[in-house]
Amino acid sequence: MSNDDQYGGGSHGEVGGTGQTRTRLPDPPADPYGPTRRTPRASRGLVTVVGVVVLLIAAIAFANQGPDTPGTPPSDKPPTAAATAATGTTPVTGKAAGIPKGFAHDEQGAQSAAANYAVALGSDGMFKKNTRHTLVDGIYAPEVASRMKGPQDTAYSTEFLAKLGLDANGNPPQGSTFVTRTIPVGTRVDSYTPATAKVAVWSTGLIGMSGDKSTDPVRTTWKTWIFELVWSGEDWKISAETQQDGPAPVPGDAAVSSADDISKATKEFGGFTYAR
C-alpha cells in the first residue's frame, strides 16, 4: 500500500472528501541492511571459504560426539550492553607453545579465553599437522582433544589443502603467501558458572592466497564462534563449539590493495593477545 492510498479517496484523488488537500507523506529511508541490498555474486574464492568452514565444522562435530558430561547447570544470564567493555585487566599470565594460558577464573577470563582461542583456531598453524596437534592440545579439554585429532587430520587432507593452493604439508607455493587470520570484534557471555561457560565471539577474518598467480585472493569473512568452556587444569578449555555466519556489515569503499601489499602487511603486522 502506498502512502497515497492508505487514506482512501475519490476517483480524482481527494483525501477525506471534496475540498480537502491531498498530502503526500515522504517515503521511509532505505535500510542499508534490508532486503534491497544487493548480494554480490558468489565467486570461486568464496566457495572455497565456505568449503573450509563446512569441512572443519563437520570434523569438529564428529569429534565432539560422546556421552554428556554432568556438571553444574549453567545460570542463564542475558548479556548487557556493556558486556565487552574494556577493563584494563591483563588477560593472561603466560603462554605455552605460543598459546595464551592462565586465564582468570571468572566471566572476564572466560571471554578472554574464547577470544584468544578463536584467534588460534583461525591461524595458519591449523593447516599443518604438527602445529595443529599442539594447538588442539593447548586449547581443548584433554578428553575432547584426543577425539578431535583423527577427524581433523582427515579433514585437512592433501586434496583439501590443494584446493587452497597449499602442498601436503600446508605450505604455499614459492612467491605466494597464504593468509588466514581471525580478528575478534567482541564477546558475549551466554551462560556462566565457576565450572562451565558459554561464550560467543563475533569476529571478522582474512583467508586466501596472496600472490601474482593466485586464483583465490585474500578476502574478509564475518563469523560468530560459540564456545562451550569448562574449567579444567586451572584454566578454561573448550569442550564444544559451533560457528555461524555474520553479522556482516555493508562492505566499505576502501580500494582493494595489491597482492604485494597484502603479503607485506601480513608479515609486518603481528596478532594480538585479546583481553576483555
Side-chain angles (χ1 to χ4, degrees), residues 103-179:
F103 295 98
H105 194 184
D106 54 25
E107 286 192 25
Q108 177 174 323
Q111 291 179 79
S112 296
N116 278 282
Y117 293 163
V119 172
L121 291 172
S123 69
D124 58 0
M126 289 295 292
F127 293 82
K128 300 179 179 181
K129 184 174 181 179
N130 291 338
T131 54
R132 179 171 64 251
H133 286 187
T134 299
L135 288 171
V136 170
D137 285 334
I139 64 181
Y140 287 90
E143 64 278 9
V144 177
S146 63
R147 295 200 307 266
M148 290 192 66
K149 292 177 184 176
Q152 280 194 338
D153 289 346
T154 300
Y156 287 96
S157 64
T158 300
E159 293 76 15
F160 169 67
L161 295 175
K163 292 180 181 179
L164 298 174
L166 304 172
D167 65 18
N169 296 315
N171 298 312
Q174 186 174 0
S176 297
T177 302
F178 179 59
V179 181

Side-chain angles (χ1 to χ4, degrees), residues 2-274:
S2 70
N3 291 322
D4 291 338
D5 296 336
Q6 61 182 323
Y7 296 106
S11 60
H12 296 288
E14 296 90 0
V15 179
T18 304
Q20 295 190 16
T21 303
R22 181 172 63 179
T23 302
R24 180 177 177 83
L25 299 177
D27 293 330
D31 180 2
Y33 295 93
T36 59
R37 179 160 63 96
R38 294 179 63 186
T39 303
R41 185 171 56 185
S43 66
R44 177 181 176 183
L46 183 58
V47 172
T48 299
V49 173
V50 172
V52 173
V53 175
V54 170
L55 277 174
L56 298 189
I57 290 177
I60 292 169
F62 178 83
N64 284 337
Q65 291 178 354
D68 294 334
T69 303
T72 305
S75 60
D76 293 331
K77 181 178 180 181
T80 64
T84 54
T87 64
T89 303
T90 302
V92 293
T93 58
K95 287 186 177 183
I99 307 170
K101 69 172 185 177
F103 295 98
H105 194 184
D106 54 25
E107 286 192 25
Q108 177 174 323
Q111 291 179 79
S112 296
N116 278 282
Y117 293 163
V119 172
L121 291 172
S123 69
D124 58 0
M126 289 295 292
F127 293 82
K128 300 179 179 181
K129 184 174 181 179
N130 291 338
T131 54
R132 179 171 64 251
H133 286 187
T134 299
L135 288 171
V136 170
D137 285 334
I139 64 181
Y140 287 90
E143 64 278 9
V144 177
S146 63
R147 295 200 307 266
M148 290 192 66
K149 292 177 184 176
Q152 280 194 338
D153 289 346
T154 300
Y156 287 96
S157 64
T158 300
E159 293 76 15
F160 169 67
L161 295 175
K163 292 180 181 179
L164 298 174
L166 304 172
D167 65 18
N169 296 315
N171 298 312
Q174 186 174 0
S176 297
T177 302
F178 179 59
V179 181
T180 173
R181 187 176 294 188
T182 295
I183 306 100
V185 176
T187 57
R188 181 189 72 218
V189 177
D190 291 338
S191 63
Y192 176 82
T193 72
T196 63
K198 186 176 182 180
V199 181
V201 181
W202 180 34
S203 63
T204 185
L206 305 173
I207 188 166
M209 187 73 72
S210 179
D212 294 337
K213 298 181 180 179
S214 173
T215 59
D216 187 22
V218 179
R219 62 187 64 245
T220 57
T221 62
W222 287 89
K223 299 286 181 184
T224 297
W225 215 319
I226 302 172
F227 294 103
E228 294 182 30
L229 305 173
V230 294
W231 186 254
S232 173
E234 300 302 314
D235 213 346
W236 291 108
K237 301 291 183 180
I238 300 172
S239 61
E241 62 181 281
T242 56
Q243 266 191 28
Q244 61 189 39
D245 292 334
V250 174
D253 57 359
V256 176
S257 299
S258 67
D260 287 342
D261 287 341
I262 294 295
S263 296
K264 183 178 179 182
T266 302
K267 295 172 183 177
E268 290 183 348
F269 293 91
F272 293 99
T273 294
Y274 282 87

